[in-house]
Amino acid sequence: FPIRSCIISRFVDGIITECDFSGLEFVVAGELSRDPQIIEDIVNGKDIHKQTASIVHRKPKEDITKDERNEVKPYTFAPLYGGQGANEPEHIRAYFKEFFTIYKRHGEWQVEQMDAVVTNGFIRTPSGREYSFPGTRRLKGGRTTNSTMIVNYPVQGFATGDIVPLACILIDREF
């Protein structure tokens, strides 16, 4: 990227490091929910965006183009964060249903998070960070008010609020 030429390293050899936490939220969602299929997909290096594109575009994974893969990335992550695809075309809504067929345990975890908030008023990440949702109530169909935030905050908060800062500290110590 041209902007990089404007940045000068403070290191003797002029080294600038770039890191990409590729799929971090997917990894964290798998860890928090302990979904065996997410964990297997991560261990096996499955291209989750290609899987999404295959379902959305209704064609084999090997026929998915780079552009088709990139355009579906928002759909890959939407169900992780409580998206239901309600306002999407039928084939996209079908993807959301298929996501929770493939990653059943993650869907169960989301329900557990909503249940915990209805019962206790809050949820807690493994690091101890708490998210409070006062006044949350159950809706028809089993979901809750604040459901998107309830399933989103633990994943994004643990990923970007806990893991990324720790990684930055560790890499700084390494340097």
Side-chain angles (χ1 to χ4, degrees):
F1 300 108
I3 193 74
R4 290 184 181 162
S5 64
C6 298
I7 300 169
I8 300 170
S9 173
R10 65 183 169 101
F11 296 104
V12 176
D13 295 327
I15 296 172
I16 296 177
T17 303
E18 178 181 336
C19 297
D20 180 4
F21 291 93
S22 180
L24 179 60
E25 287 87 358
F26 189 65
V27 171
V28 168
E31 176 60 28
L32 293 176
S33 67
R34 300 304 300 159
D35 185 292
Q37 189 61 57
I38 292 177
I39 294 167
E40 182 179 320
D41 288 353
I42 292 164
V43 168
N44 293 330
K46 184 178 203 172
D47 185 337
I48 186 69
H49 299 304
K50 194 172 262 195
Q51 172 181 278
T52 302
S54 175
I55 295 167
V56 167
H57 293 294
R58 295 174 271 179
K59 60 195 239 185
K61 290 178 198 153
E62 54 274 2
D63 294 340
I64 297 298
T65 67
K66 185 178 179 180
D67 287 341
E68 288 170 330
R69 181 188 177 278
N70 287 335
E71 80 179 36
V72 301
K73 285 183 177 183
Y75 295 127
T76 298
F77 295 111
L80 288 178
Y81 305 138
Q84 299 290 302
N87 298 322
E88 299 290 343
E90 178 56 39
H91 71 287
I92 303 293
R93 286 195 308 271
Y95 161 73
F96 281 82
K97 289 177 188 164
E98 183 70 13
F99 181 93
F100 289 109
T101 299
I102 295 169
Y103 303 117
K104 183 179 181 206
R105 175 67 194 124
H106 185 71
E108 294 167 352
W109 174 82
Q110 288 184 345
V111 170
E112 290 167 8
Q113 297 307 292
M114 290 182 256
D115 290 346
V117 170
V118 168
T119 303
N120 306 318
F122 71 94
I123 47 177
R124 183 178 295 127
T125 66
S127 64
R129 183 186 311 263
E130 291 183 359
Y131 296 103
S132 177
F133 300 94
T136 297
R137 63 187 193 292
R138 184 79 55 200
L139 300 172
K140 292 179 184 175
R143 293 182 65 82
T144 65
T145 56
N146 304 312
S147 61
T148 301
M149 291 183 289
I150 291 168
V151 300
N152 182 354
Y153 285 13
V155 174
Q156 293 231 339
F158 193 52
T160 59
D162 296 326
I163 294 173
V164 170
L166 286 174
C168 289
I169 291 167
L170 292 172
I171 201 71
D172 182 60
R173 288 180 182 162
E174 237 358 84
F175 287 148

